[in-house]
């Protein structure tokens, strides 16, 4: 009996790969034969040559390949794909180490970059607008649905236009705090607003279902000395 080799393939969520991550990938692939770096139909000898030619611009497409073992990494506006033609020990080791780097570069939080998670939430908010006890919060629900829809549009833009993004800036490039952390800031703001609206709705609904009742007090009766 002879074991047949199988290929390995993995697609990644939207990610932002920086030059240090790309350098680490090339270092991992150093033992392989014929390592090629191709960006927008131009082949480069090294990551430094690529960064020097692009001058801070992000390439539309990036492909890294090796001949033996055969392995390819492709970053494009619509996908990030890692492929190895074999599952032998060497190929599996390279595949796993590169996959770890790519997973760390995925946009976070990963769950919010999957549009399938947003549609049920929009439906849930739509249902809440019809709950009589929450009529006074309809404006909040509608605003929240607007935010979710805007985030849905943003996710689709990222998935279709910037799914695999390579930043060719050096780590100390003088970018502002917002430019370095824009994704995290936007997610934090959207999460805070949605959390506040849903929390207020839950509190109001709980008060309607189980209202706070004060113990009834017995009426005061005048004493005999107070009677005329």
């Amino acid at each position: 009996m002879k074991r047949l080799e199988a290929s390995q393939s993995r697609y990644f969520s939207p990610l932002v790969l920086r030059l240090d991550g790309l350098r680490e990938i090339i270092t991992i692939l150093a033992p392989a034969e014929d390592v090629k770096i191709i960006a927008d139909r131009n082949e480069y000898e090294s990551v430094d040559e690529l960064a020097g030619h692009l001058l801070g611009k992000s390439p539309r497409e990036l492909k890294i390949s090796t001949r033996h073992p055969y392995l390819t990494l492709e970053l494009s506006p619509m996908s990030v794909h890692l492929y190895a033609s074999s599952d032998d020990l060497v190929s599996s080791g390279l595949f796993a180490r590169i996959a770890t780097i790519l997973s760390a570069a995925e946009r976070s939080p990963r769950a919010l970059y999957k549009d399938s998670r947003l549609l049920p939430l929009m439906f849930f908010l739509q249902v809440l607008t019809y709950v009589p006890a929450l009529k006074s919060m309809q404006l909040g629900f509608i605003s929240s649905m607007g935010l979710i829809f805007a985030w849905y549009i943003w996710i689709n833009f990222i998935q279709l236009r910037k799914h695999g993004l390579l930043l060719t800036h050096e780590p100390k490039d003088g970018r502002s705090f917002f430019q370095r952390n824009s994704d995290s800031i936007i997610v934090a703001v959207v999460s805070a607003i949605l959390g506040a609206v849903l929390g207020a709705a839950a509190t109001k609904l709980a008060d309607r279902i189980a209202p706070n009742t004060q113990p009834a007090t017995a009426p005061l009766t005048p004493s005999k000395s107070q009677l005329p």
Side-chain angles (χ1 to χ4, degrees):
M1 181 178 66
K2 180 181 179 181
R3 180 181 177 277
L4 299 178
E5 293 184 354
S7 61
Q8 302 178 75
S9 178
R10 179 175 172 181
Y11 287 90
F12 293 84
S13 298
L15 58 77
V16 178
L17 184 65
R18 303 182 185 277
L19 283 180
D20 53 353
L22 181 58
R23 288 191 178 97
E24 190 173 354
I25 291 174
I26 297 302
T27 301
I28 292 172
L29 294 175
E33 296 180 9
D34 196 18
V35 179
K36 291 184 178 180
I37 305 173
I38 300 174
D40 295 338
R41 299 183 180 180
N42 295 313
E43 185 174 348
Y44 300 92
E45 295 294 330
S46 66
V47 176
D48 291 336
E49 184 185 7
L50 180 146
H53 180 259
L54 294 178
L55 299 175
K57 297 179 180 180
S58 297
R60 179 176 174 81
E61 295 182 349
L62 173 70
K63 181 177 181 180
I64 300 173
S65 65
T66 61
R67 184 167 58 85
H68 183 73
Y70 182 76
L71 185 145
T72 62
L73 168 61
E74 295 180 284
L75 275 68
S76 72
M78 299 182 65
S79 68
V80 177
H81 183 218
L82 178 62
Y83 173 83
S85 63
S86 173
D87 62 349
D88 60 19
L89 187 60
V90 175
S91 299
S92 296
L94 296 176
F95 188 94
R97 293 174 66 186
I98 295 175
T100 299
I101 296 173
L102 296 177
S103 295
E106 288 179 328
R107 295 177 183 261
S108 61
R110 296 180 180 89
L112 291 184
Y113 280 91
K114 297 180 179 179
D115 52 13
S116 59
R117 306 285 181 89
L118 298 180
L119 297 180
L121 181 57
M122 291 184 65
F123 176 76
F124 176 70
L125 291 174
Q126 180 68 31
V127 171
L128 290 181
T129 60
Y130 294 102
V131 177
L134 302 177
K135 284 292 185 182
S136 61
M137 298 194 63
Q138 281 192 354
L139 181 59
F141 293 143
I142 294 173
S143 300
S144 298
M145 286 189 289
L147 283 173
I148 295 174
F149 182 73
W151 185 253
Y152 179 82
I153 297 298
W154 169 252
I155 289 175
N156 279 273
F157 170 75
I158 292 295
Q159 289 182 341
L160 297 176
R161 302 292 296 176
K162 294 183 179 295
H163 196 110
L165 179 63
L166 173 67
L167 296 183
T168 59
H169 300 284
E170 293 293 345
K172 296 180 181 179
D173 56 2
R175 291 178 300 151
S176 66
F177 174 81
F178 181 78
Q179 288 175 323
R180 296 193 307 269
N181 302 278
S182 57
D183 281 353
S184 300
I185 293 173
I186 293 173
V187 170
V189 171
V190 172
S191 300
I193 295 175
L194 290 179
V197 172
L198 293 177
T203 301
K204 191 173 184 65
L205 186 60
D207 289 342
R208 289 298 185 93
I209 296 175
N212 294 326
T213 57
Q214 299 292 336
T217 57
L220 296 177
T221 56
S223 62
K224 291 184 178 180
S225 61
Q226 294 176 327
L227 293 174

